PDB file of all heavy atoms in Angstrom:
ATOM      1  N   ASN A   2      -5.038 -33.915  -0.355  1.00 44.00           N
ATOM      2  CA  ASN A   2      -4.643 -35.011   0.478  1.00 44.00           C
ATOM      3  C   ASN A   2      -5.820 -35.449   1.330  1.00 44.00           C
ATOM      4  O   ASN A   2      -6.178 -34.807   2.327  1.00 44.00           O
ATOM      5  CB  ASN A   2      -3.496 -34.574   1.346  1.00 44.00           C
ATOM      6  CG  ASN A   2      -2.920 -35.596   2.274  1.00 44.00           C
ATOM      7  OD1 ASN A   2      -3.409 -36.816   2.183  1.00 44.00           O
ATOM      8  ND2 ASN A   2      -2.045 -35.288   3.235  1.00 44.00           N
ATOM      9  N   GLU A   3      -6.468 -36.559   0.939  1.00 40.00           N
ATOM     10  CA  GLU A   3      -7.686 -37.018   1.518  1.00 40.00           C
ATOM     11  C   GLU A   3      -7.368 -37.480   2.990  1.00 40.00           C
ATOM     12  O   GLU A   3      -8.203 -37.425   3.861  1.00 40.00           O
ATOM     13  CB  GLU A   3      -8.260 -38.153   0.813  1.00 40.00           C
ATOM     14  CG  GLU A   3      -8.806 -37.698  -0.586  1.00 40.00           C
ATOM     15  CD  GLU A   3      -9.887 -36.773  -0.596  1.00 40.00           C
ATOM     16  OE1 GLU A   3     -10.561 -36.667   0.460  1.00 40.00           O
ATOM     17  OE2 GLU A   3     -10.099 -36.043  -1.576  1.00 40.00           O
ATOM     18  N   SER A   4      -6.091 -37.906   3.244  1.00 41.00           N
ATOM     19  CA  SER A   4      -5.708 -38.380   4.611  1.00 41.00           C
ATOM     20  C   SER A   4      -5.767 -37.227   5.599  1.00 41.00           C
ATOM     21  O   SER A   4      -5.719 -37.375   6.753  1.00 41.00           O
ATOM     22  CB  SER A   4      -4.343 -38.998   4.531  1.00 41.00           C
ATOM     23  OG  SER A   4      -3.364 -38.018   4.234  1.00 41.00           O
ATOM     24  N   ALA A   5      -5.804 -35.989   5.174  1.00 50.00           N
ATOM     25  CA  ALA A   5      -5.747 -34.810   6.000  1.00 50.00           C
ATOM     26  C   ALA A   5      -7.175 -34.432   6.392  1.00 50.00           C
ATOM     27  O   ALA A   5      -7.359 -33.506   7.163  1.00 50.00           O
ATOM     28  CB  ALA A   5      -5.066 -33.659   5.344  1.00 50.00           C
ATOM     29  N   LEU A   6      -8.104 -35.113   5.886  1.00 44.00           N
ATOM     30  CA  LEU A   6      -9.572 -34.843   6.282  1.00 44.00           C
ATOM     31  C   LEU A   6      -9.762 -35.060   7.828  1.00 44.00           C
ATOM     32  O   LEU A   6      -9.359 -36.146   8.310  1.00 44.00           O
ATOM     33  CB  LEU A   6     -10.539 -35.747   5.494  1.00 44.00           C
ATOM     34  CG  LEU A   6     -10.735 -35.310   4.071  1.00 44.00           C
ATOM     35  CD1 LEU A   6     -11.654 -36.348   3.355  1.00 44.00           C
ATOM     36  CD2 LEU A   6     -11.408 -33.923   4.023  1.00 44.00           C
ATOM     37  N   ALA A   7     -10.379 -34.118   8.485  1.00 45.00           N
ATOM     38  CA  ALA A   7     -10.502 -34.229   9.906  1.00 45.00           C
ATOM     39  C   ALA A   7     -11.995 -34.342  10.275  1.00 45.00           C
ATOM     40  O   ALA A   7     -12.840 -33.974   9.554  1.00 45.00           O
ATOM     41  CB  ALA A   7      -9.952 -32.945  10.594  1.00 45.00           C
ATOM     42  N   THR A   8     -12.241 -35.199  11.319  1.00 41.00           N
ATOM     43  CA  THR A   8     -13.557 -35.416  11.717  1.00 41.00           C
ATOM     44  C   THR A   8     -13.970 -34.184  12.499  1.00 41.00           C
ATOM     45  O   THR A   8     -13.142 -33.491  13.049  1.00 41.00           O
ATOM     46  CB  THR A   8     -13.643 -36.687  12.637  1.00 41.00           C
ATOM     47  OG1 THR A   8     -12.828 -36.555  13.771  1.00 41.00           O
ATOM     48  CG2 THR A   8     -13.216 -37.827  11.782  1.00 41.00           C
ATOM     49  N   SER A   9     -15.238 -33.985  12.572  1.00 40.00           N
ATOM     50  CA  SER A   9     -15.840 -32.886  13.256  1.00 40.00           C
ATOM     51  C   SER A   9     -17.212 -33.108  13.746  1.00 40.00           C
ATOM     52  O   SER A   9     -17.831 -33.983  13.151  1.00 40.00           O
ATOM     53  CB  SER A   9     -15.805 -31.540  12.311  1.00 40.00           C
ATOM     54  OG  SER A   9     -16.515 -30.516  12.916  1.00 40.00           O
ATOM     55  N   SER A  10     -17.643 -32.386  14.824  1.00 39.00           N
ATOM     56  CA  SER A  10     -19.074 -32.542  15.224  1.00 39.00           C
ATOM     57  C   SER A  10     -20.047 -32.007  14.256  1.00 39.00           C
ATOM     58  O   SER A  10     -21.265 -32.270  14.336  1.00 39.00           O
ATOM     59  CB  SER A  10     -19.196 -31.904  16.686  1.00 39.00           C
ATOM     60  OG  SER A  10     -18.771 -30.555  16.575  1.00 39.00           O
ATOM     61  N   GLU A  11     -19.451 -31.146  13.419  1.00 47.00           N
ATOM     62  CA  GLU A  11     -20.423 -30.526  12.447  1.00 47.00           C
ATOM     63  C   GLU A  11     -20.517 -31.518  11.312  1.00 47.00           C
ATOM     64  O   GLU A  11     -19.721 -32.388  11.069  1.00 47.00           O
ATOM     65  CB  GLU A  11     -19.781 -29.208  11.934  1.00 47.00           C
ATOM     66  CG  GLU A  11     -19.555 -28.210  12.994  1.00 47.00           C
ATOM     67  CD  GLU A  11     -18.954 -26.928  12.480  1.00 47.00           C
ATOM     68  OE1 GLU A  11     -18.797 -26.831  11.276  1.00 47.00           O
ATOM     69  OE2 GLU A  11     -18.613 -26.046  13.284  1.00 47.00           O
ATOM     70  N   SER A  12     -21.571 -31.190  10.499  1.00 50.00           N
ATOM     71  CA  SER A  12     -21.851 -32.140   9.321  1.00 50.00           C
ATOM     72  C   SER A  12     -20.903 -31.736   8.141  1.00 50.00           C
ATOM     73  O   SER A  12     -20.672 -32.594   7.241  1.00 50.00           O
ATOM     74  CB  SER A  12     -23.228 -31.920   8.792  1.00 50.00           C
ATOM     75  OG  SER A  12     -23.510 -30.614   8.506  1.00 50.00           O
ATOM     76  N   THR A  13     -20.347 -30.563   8.144  1.00 57.00           N
ATOM     77  CA  THR A  13     -19.391 -30.207   7.043  1.00 57.00           C
ATOM     78  C   THR A  13     -18.080 -30.775   7.257  1.00 57.00           C
ATOM     79  O   THR A  13     -17.441 -30.723   8.339  1.00 57.00           O
ATOM     80  CB  THR A  13     -19.168 -28.636   7.142  1.00 57.00           C
ATOM     81  OG1 THR A  13     -20.537 -27.992   6.984  1.00 57.00           O
ATOM     82  CG2 THR A  13     -18.276 -28.223   5.950  1.00 57.00           C
TER      83      THR A  13
END
Side-chain angles (χ1 to χ4, degrees):
N2 185 2
E3 298 294 340
S4 64
L6 284 173
T8 59
S9 171
S10 58
E11 301 179 8
S12 59
T13 304

